[in-house]
């Protein structure tokens, strides 16, 4: 009796169908005379077939066995959450990500009041800004691997716990030492919310739709950039600078409650594509909306979490040795540094020149903040459009119809870098021109009256818009290059930006005092222009570098499995001998 072989261990439904179809094809190609069937009979269905055992003797009753093979099962969706549910999660993690820029910028208008309260020089108080940026760069490198191994939800809870405790400490700070220590702790708690939020978005969205989500994530997060100084100025003016930290404590508590109530675990190793039932810390207190997606019996599909070691904590730094990652991050870090220097020098450049009060100083940060929000949101839309265009060209050149799903993880030649960087030249040119003109606008004697603020503030808007657009493109590209470790990749992105940015913020005022604002920002524009070939390198060689990395990782994984298989075989042999 010639039956198709049963499912092999670990064989997928599609492979099973193809093997059975090949079996049926082989039977149909045999001679009708030899097979005992008519030609019509040999062309039986691949899915259901009556097979008669003709080798049984005439005295025995013949048995007809019906074999029903499985139909090919459609590939499961990347994630089962509806678009509405995805947006709800993006809004929650965006609120969480708001605290990193908010905690930094709400502080700027209060520097003078803090210096007076603790009786120290404002330059010394400014060091608390630098320490915040340094820790802001380092902390995600710890939280990122934790998020990629233990889960997004537990990491959010840990970061917010640290953040809330830091704000209580800052609210009671009465000297410079306490202020420095708790500002560092505050940065350690708030900074990782960005990388973990990016990890959540990478878990639940496909590259085709990710641009819009990443753009909105950045836009909402950047509200802290726009409203932070205004809120800080108002609170300091009427309640004193300590009230700033009580405000952040209350707002942070609200965000933590939202996470506890509504944010499920999304790490795919734990939650799969949203169908794996969640338990314990991974399950939100209000899980009614997500239960309908759960398929019980899939709990055992999750692998045990990998151990967190010193090597795990430092693993994100290995990304820096990847050529495509380094050139992209380094250029993005330079843009971020220049934007940070524009922002941090605003108070010193505008307040004495235009005779502004503390509340007015807070208000002049609004164009910068609005530029950040609009730049991030609109770039998200732009990323989705660029991705569709590049995907269409790729499908046409490879003869792939639009209804065929592209598994980009297996397509080493898919031009993901070009999909994300397609609009970069226009944005970078706008950034360079705006930076080059900004210094001369703020230093021009023609624009020394209060109405003259309009031009430098308009240029601040353009600088913030284009710089944030570059950040958004970088963030999306990092998630695409490392979809399985998106939080760690984003953490490295944050580390490079903040490390170089902290050095720039510490030095910018000295440079301006030495050579003037006009020459200073002209030099920054020239530096940016000189580094633009890095983007050209990524455009030309990014896919080749990515393909080489995928092949290298595939070989390493194959070698690892071979070693594990050999060790398993040795152990089995030893046990059999015993």
């Amino acid at each position: 009796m010639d039956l198709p072989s049963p499912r092999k261990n670990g064989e997928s439904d599609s492979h099973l169908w193809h093997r059975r179809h090949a079996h049926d094809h082989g039977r149909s190609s045999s001679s009708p005379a030899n097979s005992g069937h008519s030609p019509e009979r040999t062309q039986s269905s691949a899915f259901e077939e009556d097979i008669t055992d003709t080798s049984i003797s005439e005295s025995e009753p013949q048995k007809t066995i019906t074999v029903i093979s499985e139909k090919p099962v459609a590939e499961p969706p990347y994630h089962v959450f509806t678009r509405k549910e995805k947006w709800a999660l993006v809004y929650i993690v965006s609120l969480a990500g708001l605290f990193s820029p908010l905690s930094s910028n709400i502080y700027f208008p209060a520097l003078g009041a803090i210096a007076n309260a603790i009786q120290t020089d404002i330059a010394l108080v400014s060091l608390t800004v630098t320490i915040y940026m340094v820790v802001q760069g380092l902390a995600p490198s710890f939280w990122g691997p934790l998020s990629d191994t233990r889960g997004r939800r537990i990491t959010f809870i840990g970061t917010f716990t640290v953040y809330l405790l830091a704000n209580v400490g800052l609210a009671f700070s009465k000297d410079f030492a306490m202020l420095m220590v708790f500002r560092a702790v505050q940065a350690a708690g708030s900074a990782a919310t960005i990388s973990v939020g990016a990890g959540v978005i990478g878990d639940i969205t496909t590259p085709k739709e990710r641009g819009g989500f990443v753009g909105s994530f950045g836009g909402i997060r950047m509200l802290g950039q726009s409203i932070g100084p205004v809120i800080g100025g108002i609170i300091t003016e009427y309640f004193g600078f300590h009230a700033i930290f009580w405000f952040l404590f209350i707002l942070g508590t609200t965000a933590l409650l939202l996470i506890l109530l509504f944010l499920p675990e999304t790490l795919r190793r734990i939650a799969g594509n949203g169908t794996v039932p969640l338990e314990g810390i991974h399950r939100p207190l209000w899980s009614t909306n997500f239960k309908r997606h759960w398929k019980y019996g899939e709990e055992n599909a999750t692998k045990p979490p990998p151990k967190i070691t010193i090597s795990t904590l430092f693993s994100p730094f290995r990304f820096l040795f990847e050529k495509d990652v380094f050139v992209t991050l380094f250029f993005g870090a330079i843009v971020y540094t220049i934007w940070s220097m524009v922002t941090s020098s605003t108070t010193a450049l505008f307040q004495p020149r235009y005779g502004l009060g503390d509340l007015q100083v807070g208000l002049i940060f609004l164009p910068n903040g609005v530029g950040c929000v609009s730049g991030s949101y609109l770039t998200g839309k732009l990323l989705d459009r660029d991705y569709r265009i590049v995907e269409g060209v790729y499908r046409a050149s490879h003869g792939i119809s639009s209804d065929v799903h592209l598994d980009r993880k297996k397509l080493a030649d898919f031009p993901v870098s070009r999909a994300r960087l397609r609009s970069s030249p226009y944005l970078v040119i706008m950034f360079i021109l705006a930076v080059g003109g900004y210094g001369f606008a703020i230093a021009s004697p023609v624009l020394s009256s209060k109405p003259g603020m309009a031009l430098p503030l308009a240029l601040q808007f353009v600088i913030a818009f284009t710089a944030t657009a570059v950040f958004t493109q970088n963030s999306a590209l990092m998630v695409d290059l490392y979809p399985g470790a998106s939080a760690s990749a984003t953490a490295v992105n944050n580390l490079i930006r903040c490390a170089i940015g902290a050095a720039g913020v510490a030095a910018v005022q000295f440079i301006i005092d030495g050579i003037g604002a006009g020459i200073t920002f002209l030099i920054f524009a020239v530096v940016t222009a000189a580094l633009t070939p890095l983007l050209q390198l990524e455009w030309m060689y990014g896919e080749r570098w990515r393909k080489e990395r995928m092949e290298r990782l595939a070989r390493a994984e194959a070698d690892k499995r071979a070693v594990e298989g050999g060790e398993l075989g040795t152990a089995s042999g030893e046990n059999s001998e015993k």
Side-chain angles (χ1 to χ4, degrees):
M1 183 168 55
D2 187 18
L3 295 178
S5 60
R7 183 192 299 271
K8 297 180 181 179
N9 186 30
E11 184 176 34
S12 67
D13 293 319
S14 59
H15 288 165
L16 176 66
W17 181 84
H18 283 299
R19 191 161 51 81
R20 287 181 171 174
H21 183 72
H23 168 86
D24 293 331
H25 179 72
R27 293 182 66 245
S28 63
S29 64
S30 60
S31 167
N34 295 336
S35 64
H37 298 294
S38 66
E40 292 78 15
R41 182 67 190 89
T42 60
Q43 298 175 359
S44 56
S45 169
F47 300 112
E48 182 173 347
E49 180 179 19
D50 291 339
I51 303 177
T52 304
D53 188 346
T54 57
S55 63
I56 303 176
S57 64
E58 294 181 359
S59 61
E60 295 178 345
Q62 292 201 358
K63 299 179 181 179
T64 301
I65 302 175
T66 301
V67 177
I68 302 177
S69 61
E70 301 176 24
K71 294 182 179 180
V73 180
E75 184 177 348
Y78 184 81
H79 208 281
V80 296
F81 287 177
T82 64
R83 192 166 181 83
K84 183 178 179 180
E85 290 169 336
K86 291 179 181 179
W87 274 115
L89 299 191
V90 170
Y91 290 144
I92 292 175
V93 300
S94 298
L95 175 62
L98 177 78
F99 285 90
S100 182
L102 177 63
S103 301
S104 175
N105 289 274
I106 200 172
Y107 193 71
F108 287 136
L111 290 176
I114 293 173
N116 293 331
I118 63 176
Q119 298 180 345
T120 189
D121 188 73
I122 191 171
L124 195 61
V125 176
S126 297
L127 290 178
T128 61
V129 177
T130 302
I131 192 66
Y132 186 94
M133 293 188 69
V134 170
V135 178
Q136 187 183 39
L138 293 173
S141 299
F142 164 76
W143 293 111
L146 184 68
S147 169
D148 287 335
T149 54
R150 291 297 190 268
R152 318 300 187 194
R153 183 176 160 84
I154 191 173
T155 308
F156 265 131
I157 294 171
T159 59
F160 269 96
T161 301
V162 172
Y163 179 74
L164 295 178
L165 292 175
N167 280 298
V168 173
L170 285 166
F172 289 103
S173 295
K174 297 187 182 300
D175 56 54
F176 177 73
M178 286 185 66
L179 199 65
M180 283 285 284
V181 170
F182 284 111
R183 275 290 280 178
V185 177
Q186 185 190 43
S190 67
T193 56
I194 297 175
S195 60
V196 181
V200 171
I201 294 175
D203 294 335
I204 65 175
T205 63
T206 62
K208 192 171 184 177
E209 64 181 344
R210 187 170 296 149
F213 288 107
V214 171
S216 296
F217 172 61
I220 295 171
R221 191 180 76 236
M222 282 299 179
L223 279 173
Q225 184 73 33
S226 58
I227 65 175
V230 180
I231 295 174
I234 294 173
I235 293 177
T236 304
E237 183 82 17
Y238 296 105
F239 303 102
F241 80 91
H242 284 107
I244 289 176
F245 305 114
W246 287 120
F247 170 79
L248 293 175
F249 176 83
I250 294 170
L251 194 62
T253 302
T254 303
L256 179 58
L257 287 176
L258 288 175
I259 290 170
L260 291 172
L261 286 171
F262 302 115
L263 182 69
E265 181 55 61
T266 61
L267 182 65
R268 297 182 70 84
R269 186 190 57 77
I270 297 173
N273 68 341
T275 59
V276 177
L278 302 173
E279 299 295 340
I281 193 67
H282 304 302
R283 182 172 181 166
L285 299 180
W286 183 270
S287 57
T288 305
N289 292 340
F290 305 110
K291 282 183 178 179
R292 63 191 179 90
H293 298 299
W294 294 352
K295 295 180 181 179
Y296 290 90
E298 294 193 6
E299 298 91 336
N300 294 330
T302 59
K303 300 177 181 178
K307 295 180 180 179
I308 297 180
T309 63
I310 298 297
S311 176
T312 303
L313 297 179
F314 285 95
S315 61
F317 294 99
R318 74 179 187 273
F319 298 150
L320 295 177
F321 296 97
E322 301 292 347
K323 292 183 285 291
D324 53 347
V325 173
F326 178 79
V327 297
T328 305
L329 292 192
F330 185 73
F331 181 81
I334 296 301
V335 172
Y336 175 84
T337 299
I338 294 172
W339 167 75
S340 297
M341 290 190 286
V342 170
T343 304
S344 63
S345 62
T346 296
T347 301
L349 289 174
F350 280 79
Q351 189 168 29
R353 180 177 174 84
Y354 299 109
L356 305 178
D358 289 339
L359 184 55
Q360 291 173 317
V361 169
L363 291 174
I364 64 173
F365 282 89
L366 280 175
N368 192 317
V370 173
C372 290
V373 174
S374 56
S376 183
Y377 178 77
L378 294 176
T379 304
K381 302 292 186 183
L382 186 64
L383 283 171
D384 283 344
R385 190 205 68 167
D386 288 347
Y387 192 95
R388 288 193 296 269
I389 292 173
V390 172
E391 183 185 292
V393 173
Y394 180 85
R395 287 180 181 275
S397 64
H398 288 72
I400 303 174
S401 63
S402 59
D403 58 343
V404 176
H405 171 72
L406 293 181
D407 187 352
R408 198 181 42 74
K409 290 183 179 180
K410 298 178 181 178
L411 298 175
D413 63 336
F414 184 85
V416 61
S417 297
R418 296 194 174 194
R420 295 310 186 198
L421 301 178
R422 186 173 179 272
S423 301
S424 286
Y426 313 107
L427 296 169
V428 172
I429 290 172
M430 290 172 62
F431 177 81
I432 292 171
L433 294 176
V435 171
Y438 172 73
F440 292 106
I442 193 63
S444 173
V446 179
L447 303 173
S448 58
S449 62
K450 282 192 175 181
M453 284 192 297
L455 180 57
L457 289 179
L459 290 173
Q460 275 205 9
F461 171 84
V462 176
I463 292 169
F465 182 97
T466 52
T468 307
V470 173
F471 307 156
T472 304
Q473 290 176 329
N474 275 7
S475 297
L477 182 57
M478 287 302 100
V479 173
D480 289 340
L481 292 177
Y482 288 95
S486 49
S488 295
T490 305
V492 170
N493 190 0
N494 195 62
L495 170 64
I496 297 301
R497 289 191 312 181
C498 290
I500 300 177
V505 168
V508 64
Q509 198 58 51
F510 296 102
I511 300 173
I512 292 174
D513 292 342
I515 62 176
I519 300 299
T520 296
F521 289 102
L522 179 61
I523 291 174
F524 294 160
V526 171
V527 169
T528 307
L531 292 175
T532 51
L534 291 176
L535 291 181
Q536 184 66 21
L537 286 175
E538 176 65 19
W539 180 271
M540 294 174 59
Y541 303 109
E543 301 319 312
R544 190 181 81 181
W545 292 337
R546 174 171 164 263
K547 183 177 180 180
E548 290 172 354
R549 178 171 62 252
M550 292 176 68
E551 293 174 349
R552 185 179 72 248
L553 293 175
R555 289 194 300 269
E557 182 65 22
D559 292 342
K560 180 180 177 182
R561 289 179 179 177
V563 171
E564 290 175 350
E567 291 176 351
L568 182 62
T570 302
S572 301
E574 291 175 352
N575 291 334
S576 63
E577 290 176 3
K578 292 179 180 180

